Amino acid sequence: MAMAHPQVFLFACAIALLASSSMFSAEVTLLSILFMYIILLSFFSPYIYIYVQNHTISRLCGRQVISAVNGSLPGPTLHVREGDTLVVHVFNKLPYDLSIHWHGVFQLLSGWADGPEFATQCAIRPGNSYTYRFNLTGQEGTLWWHAHVSWLRATVHGALIIRPKRGRSYPFPKPYREVPILLGEWWNANVVDVENEGLTSGAAPNNSNAYTINGQPGDLYPCSSNKTYKLIVKQGKTYLLRIINAALNNQLFFKIANHNMKVVAVDAAYTNPYITDVVVVAPGQTTDVLLTANQAPASYYMAANPYVSVAGVPFDNTTTTGIIVYEGAKPSTPKMPILQAFNDTPTAHKFFTNLTGLVTGPFWVPPPRQVDEHMFITIGLGLIACGKTGNNATCGGPNGQRFGASMNNASFQLPTKMSMLEAFFNNVKGIYTTDFPNQPPLIFDYTNPNNSFNPSIIMTTKSTKVKKLKYNATVEIVMQNTALIGVENHPIHLHGFNFHVLAQGFGNYNPTIDKNKFNLFNPQERNTIAVPVGGWAVVRFRANNPGVWLMHCHLDVHLPWGLATAFVVENGRTPSTKLPPPPQDLPKC
Ligand code: C2O
């Protein structure tokens, strides 16, 4: 389990007492001062130890070796308060390279702890360790952590819950209990192999075999009647469910039979209360809801099934369930919610566009009014030439080519020799180029399905193009999905910042009409936006944190295909606006 600070505190206390009670030499006194210092440190900052290692578990009638943290799936929930410093010692006992990302954490001046491999660090090699140290300031709610190398995050993930500082409260009535609900995806296979098979052949990798709630598939799957998450509730009480979509490749609908939910926060940013019977959550996103146990004492299923915006491709069409049991209820068959249809885009769009930011909440910042950098970025799939010379080689993707993906037709490739952040800090040339364009190289009818296999626009090529930003620049991005290969809803995640979502819509973005739809008063804040299928979204953020920040599709099938770019934010002029040097133990490539 995660080692919380009280244990460290007690341990250090005992040693310090021992040391100071026998004050016969200066060394011992010094030692005791040192221990006192450790006590103070450990009292004010949660110290966590996580061991990532092979772990064998039974799921769906079989046994499978997975990569897991401290022997549990999902991994431990980390609890902190706003303003805390978190120190996490990560030990890599896997046969794979590893890094851990703290999804949604601002990492103000601590970019070295952000985690994505080759972006802010080189991987922790098998047998090695790295200590992530960062503050959690200016944000409250539900975030999470996950591996940020290959597909390991399928099983290497957990919740990161930031509660208000002592003496401060939520901007809603205090819930009776708080419950993390991690939605995941399960393969009856080694996920690293699944990914590599896809990348080698150029085809799409295999779909998952199940979805999970807190690591359990639920009793609709074979051999899973005792693999069902259960939540016992007291009638009349209100519970805060902290829903996290930790699935690799699927957006999910989440429902509870007979119960409404009240959304109060998304991506660790408070929202105006929004009552709904269905929550839609894209990979990377979190949604905090209040659930009041106001029904007759009985059992009720909670269920998650995929929202699939792309047409005509196979997908994992199964349903994961958990059971809410009222205390004192007679045993009964749980009631099942009516599931959304897989392609229910109207419901997804209604949910995503009805959320608004809580202007009166703590940490609210208004969206930037004036914009320094206007970007229009096309987002979508494409093809990468199969062979090096011409089209004579045949790969497993469409047209005998490889699946690819790009932003503004630049298919992002991570460097391999050095992390981008080290290149930024040490001014090393040749690791990335700063020519990511503000516009797509070609203007076309982006969302017209007639263009899906248009040979003159479907090919893309690999590069490591980033967008350089001045410290504190304000940025507006119009994210425009394309119909290349097919239309799809892409959850785009920005590292290091929250952005405001000003507007979303279908079809091609039209500046003259769509500008009028901007919500500059109370837009929702997020770190991951599900850009509508065959549509667009407009976001704004302020680049107030120097470093290298990835922006990528949070579908793990699309990330290695190149659906990414990065922002390199320059240092400001004052010491407090400059990226400090890397920690001593930063892993070497
Ligand atoms: Cu949650 Cu770059 O990812």
Side-chain angles (χ1 to χ4, degrees), residues 32 110 126 130 156 184 227 251 260 269 363 457 562 564 569 573:
S32 69
S110 56
Y130 178 46
V156 179
K227 294 270 188 286
Q251 321 222 3
N260 278 333
F363 314 115
I457 40 183
V569 180
R573 290 214 183 82

Side-chain angles (χ1 to χ4, degrees), residues 161-405:
I161 292 172
I162 311 171
R163 286 156 62 222
K165 276 201 170 96
R166 254 171 241 288
R168 298 195 46 172
S169 52
Y170 296 122
F172 47 81
K174 192 176 189 302
Y176 175 66
R177 289 268 186 285
E178 303 186 7
V179 187
I181 301 283
L182 286 101
L183 307 176
E185 224 174 337
W186 173 263
W187 276 259
N188 290 329
N190 176 319
V191 287
V192 176
D193 295 346
V194 174
E195 179 187 18
N196 286 338
E197 277 159 30
L199 291 177
T200 308
S201 71
N206 289 343
N207 289 319
S208 51
N209 300 99
Y211 301 102
T212 55
I213 296 178
N214 290 339
Q216 309 290 347
D219 54 11
L220 302 187
Y221 292 96
C223 313
S224 303
S225 53
N226 65 346
K227 294 270 188 286
T228 306
Y229 170 70
K230 278 203 182 65
L231 172 64
I232 307 209
V233 299
K234 266 195 188 11
Q235 197 183 29
K237 300 287 188 201
T238 296
Y239 296 77
L240 175 59
L241 305 187
R242 299 176 174 276
I243 306 165
I244 298 168
N245 187 344
L248 293 198
N249 294 324
N250 280 280
Q251 321 222 3
L252 295 161
F253 293 117
F254 177 82
K255 296 182 89 170
I256 302 172
N258 289 30
H259 291 78
N260 278 333
M261 295 169 270
K262 191 194 275 177
V263 178
V264 291
V266 295
D267 295 6
Y270 292 114
T271 63
N272 284 300
Y274 175 67
I275 296 172
T276 178
D277 68 333
V278 56
V279 162
V280 194
V281 60
Q285 295 183 329
T286 72
T287 309
D288 290 357
V289 303
L290 295 175
L291 167 75
T292 301
N294 56 6
Q295 295 298 301
S299 299
Y300 302 89
Y301 273 123
M302 54 172 91
N305 68 325
Y307 162 46
V308 182
S309 58
V310 47
V313 297
F315 61 95
D316 176 352
N317 62 0
T318 61
T319 302
T320 178
T321 51
I323 304 175
I324 293 183
V325 184
Y326 277 61
E327 248 179 52
K330 291 195 198 71
S332 64
T333 312
K335 290 192 183 52
M336 186 70 183
I338 298 167
L339 298 179
Q340 301 308 125
F342 298 120
N343 61 356
D344 190 349
T345 290
T347 294
H349 195 66
K350 179 173 175 220
F351 178 83
F352 285 136
T353 52
N354 267 288
L355 302 171
T356 48
L358 188 66
V359 173
T360 54
F363 314 115
W364 167 258
V365 278
R369 288 275 170 170
Q370 164 270 331
V371 173
D372 301 321
E373 294 276 357
H374 284 272
M375 303 182 77
F376 182 98
I377 303 182
T378 54
I379 289 166
L381 303 188
L383 295 177
I384 302 269
C386 177
K388 282 211 169 73
T389 46
N391 289 347
N392 26 22
T394 293
C395 292
N399 295 358
Q401 310 294 330
R402 295 178 171 281
F403 268 112

Side-chain angles (χ1 to χ4, degrees), residues 101 103-104 116 144 146 148 153 284 493 495 528 550 552 554 559:
H101 168 52
H103 181 115
W144 60 301
H146 63 76
H148 210 299
R153 81 173 170 87
H493 170 48
H495 283 229
T528 307
L550 284 185
H552 64 87
H554 217 279
L559 178 53

